[in-house]
Amino acid sequence: MLLPIVTQIGLALPLLVTGAIITETIFGWPGVGPYFLTATKSLDYPVILAILLLSATLVIVGNLIADLLYVLVDPRVRLQRSAA
Amino acid sequence: MTAATAGPATRRPALNRVRTSVPAQAWVAIGFLGLLVLLSLLAPVLPLDPDTTDLDAMSQPPSPEHWFGTDQLGRDYFARVVYGGRISLVVGFLAMLTATVIGALVGVVAGFAHPRVDGLLMRLVDFLSSIPWMILIIVVSVFLKPGLATIIIVIGGFSWMATARLVRAETLSVKERAYVGYSGYIGERPARIVIRHILPEVLPTILVAATASVSLAMMTEASLSFLGVGIQQPMASWGSLLQTAQGNLQQLPHLALIPGLLIIATVLSFNALGNALRHQLSREA
């Protein structure tokens, strides 16, 4: 039962940073969302690249954490140690 | 269909309706959507002008001559809402069509073809699903020059993954049925098997996924237009109306409430429609 929850936790990590674009825009909070929006509209490439890299890294790290948590949460799941 | 012939209790809801098989909320949804579509189709014929500014009548509340009032530039808001509904519905529908066609194609091919092809296609689906969706859509629509066609392509092109997964699962299960195997044994070509045997079974799933897709597409279009990377000003769409309404939220709440409530109502209606469809189609299965 915990497995889907762990999956969602792993998927939620990138959303922490990039998921609140609209909310931050409405309330005028200076978050990653509005920063990214102004950067894309003005074609500020370094900022766009940096935020894309950040979000891609978070996706991968989130998936990694989810995979590691699977082992903790469900003893039947084993990390693969050999090709066998 | 009475309770006695309903089969396992898990399929029917607790309400044992004898005659009405379509829930009331589905009729409300159909009525509302029908009204919306009718207004959108008739919009060019009606005496509505969404773009003429009237600087003598700026920021008026709803009144008999301006049914929804006017916005900050004096444009009749009812006209803008109707034309905005037109654009929003068109975007939602066409984006859904794109996403559903791509998703159904990928799903059926992945389910029916060699496991290697299946693996490859599912890797593609995983790859596209793992990129944060909003960021991807914003970046692609800015680089493809924001506009109506762009937003349809972008939303449709990045929402097909869920449909593909669903359709692939259905196809995999239908593929195991006896008559599909026998069709292969008597020498029917794979394309014919897919079109004649698999697609009709998979169609209900595709239809339900399509209604969910319209809801998603409309919400995404509203978000993108609100953020300024979708439908551009001064073209009206419910999202861009929300963007102009943002500045005077305290003084002119009707500017934001009307498109906002309409978006909510439309999305709810499509969801209710999808639920009713799924309810109907699962009975016959």
Side-chain angles (χ1 to χ4, degrees), chain B residues 124-149:
Chain B
L124 174 68
V125 168
D126 286 338
F127 166 64
L128 282 177
S129 308
S130 63
I131 309 177
W133 190 58
M134 209 48 166
I135 290 200
L136 183 63
I137 288 194
I138 291 177
V139 168
V140 177
S141 42
V142 168
F143 281 107
L144 284 183
K145 208 158 52 74
L148 188 56

PDB file of all heavy atoms in Angstrom, chain B residues 124-149:
ATOM      1  N   LEU B 124       9.587   5.748 -24.797  1.00  0.00           N
ATOM      2  CA  LEU B 124       9.276   7.096 -25.277  1.00  0.00           C
ATOM      3  C   LEU B 124       8.224   7.750 -24.403  1.00  0.00           C
ATOM      4  O   LEU B 124       8.349   8.927 -24.027  1.00  0.00           O
ATOM      5  CB  LEU B 124       8.779   7.019 -26.731  1.00  0.00           C
ATOM      6  CG  LEU B 124       8.286   8.319 -27.346  1.00  0.00           C
ATOM      7  CD1 LEU B 124       9.432   9.276 -27.523  1.00  0.00           C
ATOM      8  CD2 LEU B 124       7.618   8.065 -28.691  1.00  0.00           C
ATOM      9  N   VAL B 125       7.174   7.007 -24.050  1.00  0.00           N
ATOM     10  CA  VAL B 125       6.124   7.542 -23.188  1.00  0.00           C
ATOM     11  C   VAL B 125       6.708   7.929 -21.830  1.00  0.00           C
ATOM     12  O   VAL B 125       6.428   9.022 -21.310  1.00  0.00           O
ATOM     13  CB  VAL B 125       4.988   6.506 -23.020  1.00  0.00           C
ATOM     14  CG1 VAL B 125       4.048   6.920 -21.918  1.00  0.00           C
ATOM     15  CG2 VAL B 125       4.225   6.354 -24.307  1.00  0.00           C
ATOM     16  N   ASP B 126       7.552   7.065 -21.268  1.00  0.00           N
ATOM     17  CA  ASP B 126       8.172   7.386 -19.981  1.00  0.00           C
ATOM     18  C   ASP B 126       9.029   8.624 -20.083  1.00  0.00           C
ATOM     19  O   ASP B 126       9.015   9.482 -19.195  1.00  0.00           O
ATOM     20  CB  ASP B 126       9.041   6.215 -19.499  1.00  0.00           C
ATOM     21  CG  ASP B 126       8.204   5.063 -19.000  1.00  0.00           C
ATOM     22  OD1 ASP B 126       7.051   5.309 -18.636  1.00  0.00           O
ATOM     23  OD2 ASP B 126       8.709   3.929 -18.987  1.00  0.00           O
ATOM     24  N   PHE B 127       9.779   8.712 -21.174  1.00  0.00           N
ATOM     25  CA  PHE B 127      10.667   9.861 -21.355  1.00  0.00           C
ATOM     26  C   PHE B 127       9.866  11.158 -21.371  1.00  0.00           C
ATOM     27  O   PHE B 127      10.176  12.112 -20.664  1.00  0.00           O
ATOM     28  CB  PHE B 127      11.454   9.681 -22.657  1.00  0.00           C
ATOM     29  CG  PHE B 127      12.147  10.918 -23.126  1.00  0.00           C
ATOM     30  CD1 PHE B 127      13.154  11.484 -22.370  1.00  0.00           C
ATOM     31  CD2 PHE B 127      11.810  11.517 -24.325  1.00  0.00           C
ATOM     32  CE1 PHE B 127      13.794  12.622 -22.799  1.00  0.00           C
ATOM     33  CE2 PHE B 127      12.443  12.649 -24.760  1.00  0.00           C
ATOM     34  CZ  PHE B 127      13.443  13.209 -23.991  1.00  0.00           C
ATOM     35  N   LEU B 128       8.797  11.170 -22.173  1.00  0.00           N
ATOM     36  CA  LEU B 128       8.015  12.396 -22.257  1.00  0.00           C
ATOM     37  C   LEU B 128       7.266  12.674 -20.967  1.00  0.00           C
ATOM     38  O   LEU B 128       7.038  13.828 -20.613  1.00  0.00           O
ATOM     39  CB  LEU B 128       7.021  12.312 -23.419  1.00  0.00           C
ATOM     40  CG  LEU B 128       7.634  12.537 -24.790  1.00  0.00           C
ATOM     41  CD1 LEU B 128       6.583  12.358 -25.862  1.00  0.00           C
ATOM     42  CD2 LEU B 128       8.239  13.924 -24.887  1.00  0.00           C
ATOM     43  N   SER B 129       6.865  11.630 -20.252  1.00  0.00           N
ATOM     44  CA  SER B 129       6.119  11.852 -19.013  1.00  0.00           C
ATOM     45  C   SER B 129       7.009  12.347 -17.900  1.00  0.00           C
ATOM     46  O   SER B 129       6.518  12.941 -16.950  1.00  0.00           O
ATOM     47  CB  SER B 129       5.455  10.558 -18.533  1.00  0.00           C
ATOM     48  OG  SER B 129       4.711   9.981 -19.529  1.00  0.00           O
ATOM     49  N   SER B 130       8.320  12.071 -17.993  1.00  0.00           N
ATOM     50  CA  SER B 130       9.153  12.414 -16.847  1.00  0.00           C
ATOM     51  C   SER B 130       9.583  13.868 -16.871  1.00  0.00           C
ATOM     52  O   SER B 130      10.067  14.378 -15.877  1.00  0.00           O
ATOM     53  CB  SER B 130      10.381  11.503 -16.801  1.00  0.00           C
ATOM     54  OG  SER B 130      11.146  11.728 -17.958  1.00  0.00           O
ATOM     55  N   ILE B 131       9.432  14.529 -17.987  1.00  0.00           N
ATOM     56  CA  ILE B 131       9.778  15.953 -18.020  1.00  0.00           C
ATOM     57  C   ILE B 131       8.631  16.730 -17.388  1.00  0.00           C
ATOM     58  O   ILE B 131       7.470  16.451 -17.696  1.00  0.00           O
ATOM     59  CB  ILE B 131       9.981  16.437 -19.461  1.00  0.00           C
ATOM     60  CG1 ILE B 131      10.940  15.511 -20.190  1.00  0.00           C
ATOM     61  CG2 ILE B 131      10.505  17.844 -19.483  1.00  0.00           C
ATOM     62  CD1 ILE B 131      11.126  15.894 -21.630  1.00  0.00           C
ATOM     63  N   PRO B 132       8.931  17.703 -16.498  1.00  0.00           N
ATOM     64  CA  PRO B 132       7.832  18.469 -15.887  1.00  0.00           C
ATOM     65  C   PRO B 132       6.998  19.127 -16.964  1.00  0.00           C
ATOM     66  O   PRO B 132       7.484  19.911 -17.764  1.00  0.00           O
ATOM     67  CB  PRO B 132       8.565  19.517 -15.037  1.00  0.00           C
ATOM     68  CG  PRO B 132       9.887  18.962 -14.785  1.00  0.00           C
ATOM     69  CD  PRO B 132      10.230  18.112 -15.968  1.00  0.00           C
ATOM     70  N   TRP B 133       5.716  18.803 -16.920  1.00  0.00           N
ATOM     71  CA  TRP B 133       4.868  19.057 -18.061  1.00  0.00           C
ATOM     72  C   TRP B 133       4.673  20.549 -18.361  1.00  0.00           C
ATOM     73  O   TRP B 133       4.800  20.993 -19.499  1.00  0.00           O
ATOM     74  CB  TRP B 133       3.544  18.384 -17.748  1.00  0.00           C
ATOM     75  CG  TRP B 133       2.594  18.306 -18.829  1.00  0.00           C
ATOM     76  CD1 TRP B 133       2.774  17.723 -20.039  1.00  0.00           C
ATOM     77  CD2 TRP B 133       1.279  18.823 -18.817  1.00  0.00           C
ATOM     78  NE1 TRP B 133       1.641  17.838 -20.777  1.00  0.00           N
ATOM     79  CE2 TRP B 133       0.715  18.505 -20.053  1.00  0.00           C
ATOM     80  CE3 TRP B 133       0.538  19.514 -17.871  1.00  0.00           C
ATOM     81  CZ2 TRP B 133      -0.582  18.867 -20.368  1.00  0.00           C
ATOM     82  CZ3 TRP B 133      -0.749  19.879 -18.193  1.00  0.00           C
ATOM     83  CH2 TRP B 133      -1.286  19.548 -19.435  1.00  0.00           C
ATOM     84  N   MET B 134       4.395  21.316 -17.291  1.00  0.00           N
ATOM     85  CA  MET B 134       4.119  22.737 -17.493  1.00  0.00           C
ATOM     86  C   MET B 134       5.329  23.443 -18.083  1.00  0.00           C
ATOM     87  O   MET B 134       5.217  24.253 -18.997  1.00  0.00           O
ATOM     88  CB  MET B 134       3.765  23.363 -16.136  1.00  0.00           C
ATOM     89  CG  MET B 134       2.845  24.541 -16.227  1.00  0.00           C
ATOM     90  SD  MET B 134       1.441  24.217 -17.263  1.00  0.00           S
ATOM     91  CE  MET B 134       0.390  25.552 -16.856  1.00  0.00           C
ATOM     92  N   ILE B 135       6.497  23.089 -17.541  1.00  0.00           N
ATOM     93  CA  ILE B 135       7.724  23.724 -18.038  1.00  0.00           C
ATOM     94  C   ILE B 135       7.937  23.388 -19.493  1.00  0.00           C
ATOM     95  O   ILE B 135       8.234  24.254 -20.325  1.00  0.00           O
ATOM     96  CB  ILE B 135       8.920  23.246 -17.182  1.00  0.00           C
ATOM     97  CG1 ILE B 135       8.823  23.838 -15.804  1.00  0.00           C
ATOM     98  CG2 ILE B 135      10.209  23.606 -17.836  1.00  0.00           C
ATOM     99  CD1 ILE B 135      10.108  23.847 -15.070  1.00  0.00           C
ATOM    100  N   LEU B 136       7.745  22.115 -19.833  1.00  0.00           N
ATOM    101  CA  LEU B 136       7.926  21.684 -21.212  1.00  0.00           C
ATOM    102  C   LEU B 136       7.004  22.458 -22.139  1.00  0.00           C
ATOM    103  O   LEU B 136       7.416  22.989 -23.173  1.00  0.00           O
ATOM    104  CB  LEU B 136       7.626  20.186 -21.290  1.00  0.00           C
ATOM    105  CG  LEU B 136       7.811  19.496 -22.614  1.00  0.00           C
ATOM    106  CD1 LEU B 136       9.248  19.546 -23.031  1.00  0.00           C
ATOM    107  CD2 LEU B 136       7.352  18.055 -22.488  1.00  0.00           C
ATOM    108  N   ILE B 137       5.726  22.540 -21.747  1.00  0.00           N
ATOM    109  CA  ILE B 137       4.746  23.205 -22.607  1.00  0.00           C
ATOM    110  C   ILE B 137       5.067  24.677 -22.752  1.00  0.00           C
ATOM    111  O   ILE B 137       4.989  25.241 -23.851  1.00  0.00           O
ATOM    112  CB  ILE B 137       3.328  22.989 -22.030  1.00  0.00           C
ATOM    113  CG1 ILE B 137       2.924  21.550 -22.242  1.00  0.00           C
ATOM    114  CG2 ILE B 137       2.339  23.920 -22.654  1.00  0.00           C
ATOM    115  CD1 ILE B 137       1.475  21.289 -22.024  1.00  0.00           C
ATOM    116  N   ILE B 138       5.444  25.329 -21.653  1.00  0.00           N
ATOM    117  CA  ILE B 138       5.745  26.763 -21.743  1.00  0.00           C
ATOM    118  C   ILE B 138       6.937  26.992 -22.652  1.00  0.00           C
ATOM    119  O   ILE B 138       6.908  27.851 -23.538  1.00  0.00           O
ATOM    120  CB  ILE B 138       6.015  27.341 -20.332  1.00  0.00           C
ATOM    121  CG1 ILE B 138       4.731  27.359 -19.526  1.00  0.00           C
ATOM    122  CG2 ILE B 138       6.585  28.726 -20.425  1.00  0.00           C
ATOM    123  CD1 ILE B 138       4.914  27.843 -18.132  1.00  0.00           C
ATOM    124  N   VAL B 139       8.002  26.196 -22.456  1.00  0.00           N
ATOM    125  CA  VAL B 139       9.197  26.397 -23.276  1.00  0.00           C
ATOM    126  C   VAL B 139       8.891  26.178 -24.746  1.00  0.00           C
ATOM    127  O   VAL B 139       9.240  26.988 -25.609  1.00  0.00           O
ATOM    128  CB  VAL B 139      10.317  25.446 -22.808  1.00  0.00           C
ATOM    129  CG1 VAL B 139      11.444  25.423 -23.797  1.00  0.00           C
ATOM    130  CG2 VAL B 139      10.838  25.875 -21.461  1.00  0.00           C
ATOM    131  N   VAL B 140       8.197  25.076 -25.063  1.00  0.00           N
ATOM    132  CA  VAL B 140       7.939  24.792 -26.474  1.00  0.00           C
ATOM    133  C   VAL B 140       7.026  25.845 -27.076  1.00  0.00           C
ATOM    134  O   VAL B 140       7.227  26.270 -28.221  1.00  0.00           O
ATOM    135  CB  VAL B 140       7.352  23.381 -26.648  1.00  0.00           C
ATOM    136  CG1 VAL B 140       7.024  23.121 -28.102  1.00  0.00           C
ATOM    137  CG2 VAL B 140       8.345  22.349 -26.178  1.00  0.00           C
ATOM    138  N   SER B 141       6.014  26.307 -26.333  1.00  0.00           N
ATOM    139  CA  SER B 141       5.128  27.280 -26.972  1.00  0.00           C
ATOM    140  C   SER B 141       5.793  28.631 -27.130  1.00  0.00           C
ATOM    141  O   SER B 141       5.470  29.367 -28.049  1.00  0.00           O
ATOM    142  CB  SER B 141       3.786  27.421 -26.278  1.00  0.00           C
ATOM    143  OG  SER B 141       3.902  27.446 -24.929  1.00  0.00           O
ATOM    144  N   VAL B 142       6.742  28.975 -26.250  1.00  0.00           N
ATOM    145  CA  VAL B 142       7.454  30.237 -26.478  1.00  0.00           C
ATOM    146  C   VAL B 142       8.365  30.117 -27.676  1.00  0.00           C
ATOM    147  O   VAL B 142       8.455  31.027 -28.498  1.00  0.00           O
ATOM    148  CB  VAL B 142       8.256  30.638 -25.221  1.00  0.00           C
ATOM    149  CG1 VAL B 142       9.204  31.765 -25.550  1.00  0.00           C
ATOM    150  CG2 VAL B 142       7.329  31.071 -24.125  1.00  0.00           C
ATOM    151  N   PHE B 143       9.014  28.957 -27.833  1.00  0.00           N
ATOM    152  CA  PHE B 143       9.929  28.834 -28.961  1.00  0.00           C
ATOM    153  C   PHE B 143       9.212  28.641 -30.283  1.00  0.00           C
ATOM    154  O   PHE B 143       9.789  28.837 -31.337  1.00  0.00           O
ATOM    155  CB  PHE B 143      10.919  27.700 -28.714  1.00  0.00           C
ATOM    156  CG  PHE B 143      12.016  28.098 -27.793  1.00  0.00           C
ATOM    157  CD1 PHE B 143      12.061  27.629 -26.497  1.00  0.00           C
ATOM    158  CD2 PHE B 143      12.990  28.979 -28.215  1.00  0.00           C
ATOM    159  CE1 PHE B 143      13.057  28.029 -25.640  1.00  0.00           C
ATOM    160  CE2 PHE B 143      13.989  29.383 -27.356  1.00  0.00           C
ATOM    161  CZ  PHE B 143      14.031  28.900 -26.064  1.00  0.00           C
ATOM    162  N   LEU B 144       7.941  28.253 -30.250  1.00  0.00           N
ATOM    163  CA  LEU B 144       7.193  28.100 -31.489  1.00  0.00           C
ATOM    164  C   LEU B 144       6.284  29.296 -31.738  1.00  0.00           C
ATOM    165  O   LEU B 144       5.310  29.181 -32.464  1.00  0.00           O
ATOM    166  CB  LEU B 144       6.324  26.843 -31.434  1.00  0.00           C
ATOM    167  CG  LEU B 144       6.998  25.496 -31.601  1.00  0.00           C
ATOM    168  CD1 LEU B 144       5.943  24.405 -31.576  1.00  0.00           C
ATOM    169  CD2 LEU B 144       7.733  25.444 -32.922  1.00  0.00           C
ATOM    170  N   LYS B 145       6.570  30.421 -31.120  1.00  0.00           N
ATOM    171  CA  LYS B 145       5.769  31.624 -31.350  1.00  0.00           C
ATOM    172  C   LYS B 145       4.316  31.450 -30.892  1.00  0.00           C
ATOM    173  O   LYS B 145       3.488  30.863 -31.596  1.00  0.00           O
ATOM    174  CB  LYS B 145       5.790  32.030 -32.829  1.00  0.00           C
ATOM    175  CG  LYS B 145       5.596  33.509 -33.034  1.00  0.00           C
ATOM    176  CD  LYS B 145       6.120  33.988 -34.361  1.00  0.00           C
ATOM    177  CE  LYS B 145       5.591  33.183 -35.530  1.00  0.00           C
ATOM    178  NZ  LYS B 145       4.199  33.477 -35.852  1.00  0.00           N
ATOM    179  N   PRO B 146       3.968  31.976 -29.714  1.00  0.00           N
ATOM    180  CA  PRO B 146       2.636  31.732 -29.143  1.00  0.00           C
ATOM    181  C   PRO B 146       1.502  32.095 -30.097  1.00  0.00           C
ATOM    182  O   PRO B 146       1.551  33.115 -30.765  1.00  0.00           O
ATOM    183  CB  PRO B 146       2.610  32.672 -27.930  1.00  0.00           C
ATOM    184  CG  PRO B 146       4.015  32.891 -27.584  1.00  0.00           C
ATOM    185  CD  PRO B 146       4.795  32.801 -28.835  1.00  0.00           C
ATOM    186  N   GLY B 147       0.491  31.262 -30.178  1.00  0.00           N
ATOM    187  CA  GLY B 147      -0.631  31.508 -31.078  1.00  0.00           C
ATOM    188  C   GLY B 147      -1.591  30.347 -30.980  1.00  0.00           C
ATOM    189  O   GLY B 147      -1.383  29.401 -30.239  1.00  0.00           O
ATOM    190  N   LEU B 148      -2.664  30.394 -31.765  1.00  0.00           N
ATOM    191  CA  LEU B 148      -3.720  29.384 -31.668  1.00  0.00           C
ATOM    192  C   LEU B 148      -3.220  28.011 -32.113  1.00  0.00           C
ATOM    193  O   LEU B 148      -3.375  27.012 -31.408  1.00  0.00           O
ATOM    194  CB  LEU B 148      -4.900  29.829 -32.526  1.00  0.00           C
ATOM    195  CG  LEU B 148      -6.175  29.007 -32.408  1.00  0.00           C
ATOM    196  CD1 LEU B 148      -6.623  28.938 -30.979  1.00  0.00           C
ATOM    197  CD2 LEU B 148      -7.260  29.635 -33.260  1.00  0.00           C
ATOM    198  N   ALA B 149      -2.602  27.954 -33.288  1.00  0.00           N
ATOM    199  CA  ALA B 149      -2.163  26.660 -33.798  1.00  0.00           C
ATOM    200  C   ALA B 149      -1.091  26.072 -32.898  1.00  0.00           C
ATOM    201  O   ALA B 149      -1.092  24.874 -32.598  1.00  0.00           O
ATOM    202  CB  ALA B 149      -1.631  26.808 -35.221  1.00  0.00           C
TER     203      ALA B 149
END
